[in-house]
């Protein structure tokens, strides 16, 4: 069974797969551009996330229309995480919103897929900053550190290189700006319909994480999503009371016993169906 699966796995060795990745890439690039424009003082983060997710659906609707059974759409809901919030802030209809202020450091993160081939993009900006009104100090340092760390990581993502080469390079760049990569964050290999493939790149691992985390070399035709998150602080995430709005469905089956669990599951499934209808 496992062998059969291995043989059927589609990679960028096939042109059609490259075409689908490119199409997803163009869509997230276009959406990101629009979202950057939405990030101004007094804008609602919830509105921005909603508009962005709708854009992804609209754009993915326009491509590969002839293939009726082909799945496409949102691969990762739009997140707008501000200042100390590390990532994954994407308030739903009933969650508390956040209104952007001048000087906020805004991290945008979103993903689209065509036939399960995923493109994700991220970008950091400072609200109100421009060529005439440049960001300064720690905020400017942390954004530059992240930019240069990503550029370095991208150049090291070559077949034969080890994942720890990227780990060490990102660390060095961050330290040049007196910043720290967020401890333990992982960049994952991407596969068709899989946003968290088995090979990963860790950033700023603790001693324990370094022992646990698997070393590997990159290979031809593998695809990765590089996730670099840099902090001007200690670089260690702490749990706060903000509500989580992003969940991942596992393949596990479980008999739900509580009425509340069943109604929650129904709500989540309903939302997935809505997204699916939007796609048609
Ligand atoms: C998306 O934008 C990035 C950054 O500008 C660029 O390097 C990349 O080629 C673009 N991807 C596509 C598929 O247009």
């Amino acid at each position: 069974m496992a062998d059969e699966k291995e043989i059927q796995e589609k990679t960028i060795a096939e042109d059609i797969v490259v075409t689908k990745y490119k199409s997803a890439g163009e869509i997230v690039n276009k959406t990101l551009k629009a979202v950057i424009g939405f990030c101004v003082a007094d804008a609602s983060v919830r509105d921005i996330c909603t508009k962005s997710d709708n854009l992804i659906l609209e754009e993915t609707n326009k491509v590969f229309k002839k293939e009726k059974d082909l799945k496409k759409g949102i691969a990762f809901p739009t997140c707008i995480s501000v200042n100390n919030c590390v990532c994954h802030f994407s308030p739903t209809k009933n969650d508390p919103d956040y209104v952007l202020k001048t000087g906020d450091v805004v991290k945008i993160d979103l993903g689209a897929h065509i036939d399960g081939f995923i493109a994700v993009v991220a970008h950091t900006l400072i609200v109100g900053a421009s060529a005439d009104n440049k960001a300064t100090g720690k905020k400017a340092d942390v954004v530059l550190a992240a930019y240069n760390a990503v550029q370095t990581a991208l150049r090291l993502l070559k077949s034969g290189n080890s994942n720890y080469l990227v780990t060490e390079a990102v660390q060095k760049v961050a330290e040049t700006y007196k910043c720290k990569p967020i401890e333990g964050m992982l960049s994952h290999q991407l596969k068709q319909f899989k946003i968290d493939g088995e090979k990963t790149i860790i950033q700023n691992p603790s001693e324990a994480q370094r022992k646990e985390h698997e070393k590997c070399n990159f290979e031809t035709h593998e695809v990765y999503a590089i996730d670099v998150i840099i902090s001007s602080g200690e670089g260690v995430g702490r749990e706060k009371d903000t509500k989580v709005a992003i969940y991942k469905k596992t393949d596990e089956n479980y008999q739900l016993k509580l009425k509340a669990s069943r109604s929650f599951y129904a709500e989540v499934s309903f939302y997935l169906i809505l997204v699916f209808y939007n796609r048609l």
Side-chain angles (χ1 to χ4, degrees):
M1 265 309 264
D3 277 354
E4 244 170 73
K5 240 186 173 172
E6 212 92 66
I7 291 161
Q8 281 166 7
E9 195 174 280
K10 291 194 181 124
T11 73
I12 53 170
E14 276 179 76
D15 284 350
I16 182 67
V17 174
V18 176
T19 306
K20 286 170 181 172
Y21 269 120
K22 272 197 179 157
S23 174
E26 280 160 14
I27 289 166
V28 292
N29 274 3
K30 190 172 173 188
T31 308
L32 177 62
K33 243 188 193 160
V35 172
I36 289 171
F38 299 154
C39 290
V40 294
D42 300 326
S44 141
V45 161
R46 190 198 292 139
D47 284 353
I48 298 171
C49 291
T50 309
K51 278 197 275 189
S52 172
D53 286 349
N54 287 337
L55 267 177
I56 297 174
L57 292 172
E58 253 171 54
E59 293 296 326
T60 46
N61 261 340
K62 292 183 195 161
V63 296
F64 290 90
K65 276 184 115 99
K66 284 196 193 118
E67 295 176 46
K68 294 288 173 221
D69 295 332
L70 185 144
K71 292 195 175 79
K72 53 191 180 177
I74 295 169
F76 202 89
T78 305
C79 297
I80 305 283
S81 312
V82 181
N83 297 336
N84 60 300
C85 176
V86 176
C87 59
H88 297 181
F89 186 67
S90 184
T92 56
K93 211 171 58 195
N94 302 316
D95 295 339
D97 197 5
Y98 180 85
V99 175
L100 297 181
K101 299 187 301 290
T102 301
D104 276 346
V105 180
V106 176
K107 293 163 303 281
I108 306 165
D109 193 0
L110 58 101
H113 78 95
I114 305 291
D115 194 21
F117 299 107
I118 301 164
V120 284
V121 274
H123 182 70
T124 302
L125 60 84
I126 296 168
V127 178
S130 67
D132 306 325
N133 181 26
K134 288 201 171 111
T136 57
K138 274 189 174 184
K139 287 182 193 177
D141 285 348
V142 77
V143 172
L144 261 184
Y147 176 80
N148 285 313
V150 171
Q151 294 300 320
T152 309
L154 283 176
R155 283 161 180 79
L156 292 173
L157 199 69
K158 280 193 192 144
S159 66
N161 277 355
S162 99
N163 55 350
Y164 271 84
L165 196 62
V166 176
T167 303
E168 306 313 337
V170 166
Q171 192 76 27
K172 231 183 224 171
V173 174
E175 282 168 6
T176 308
Y177 292 90
K178 297 196 169 65
C179 292
K180 290 216 171 99
I182 299 284
E183 181 184 288
M185 283 277 320
L186 295 176
S187 296
H188 284 271
Q189 185 186 4
L190 299 177
K191 289 189 172 173
Q192 189 180 21
F193 292 110
K194 198 159 178 51
I195 202 161
D196 53 354
E198 53 269 34
K199 283 188 173 180
T200 60
I201 305 160
I202 196 165
Q203 59 168 41
N204 194 14
S206 64
E207 277 311 308
Q209 286 166 343
R210 193 179 281 270
K211 270 186 209 139
E212 279 285 300
H213 183 257
E214 214 153 310
K215 293 186 178 50
C216 67
N217 288 334
F218 308 128
E219 283 167 54
T220 307
H221 297 150
E222 286 176 348
V223 176
Y224 288 85
I226 294 290
D227 250 316
V228 166
I229 308 191
I230 309 285
S231 171
S232 60
E234 297 155 53
V236 183
R238 260 189 300 272
E239 204 151 330
K240 301 267 271 192
D241 51 6
T242 312
K243 210 181 131 195
V244 176
I246 295 188
Y247 297 90
K248 182 170 174 295
K249 192 175 177 299
T250 67
D251 297 329
E252 261 168 74
N253 279 309
Y254 187 78
Q255 202 66 43
L256 295 175
K257 290 181 190 77
L258 292 177
K259 190 164 170 250
S261 329
R262 287 198 299 266
S263 82
F264 174 74
Y265 184 72
E267 196 175 316
V268 172
S269 307
F270 179 68
Y271 175 72
L272 288 176
I273 290 166
L274 272 184
V275 171
F276 180 68
Y277 276 136
N278 273 333
R279 270 197 225 121
L280 300 178

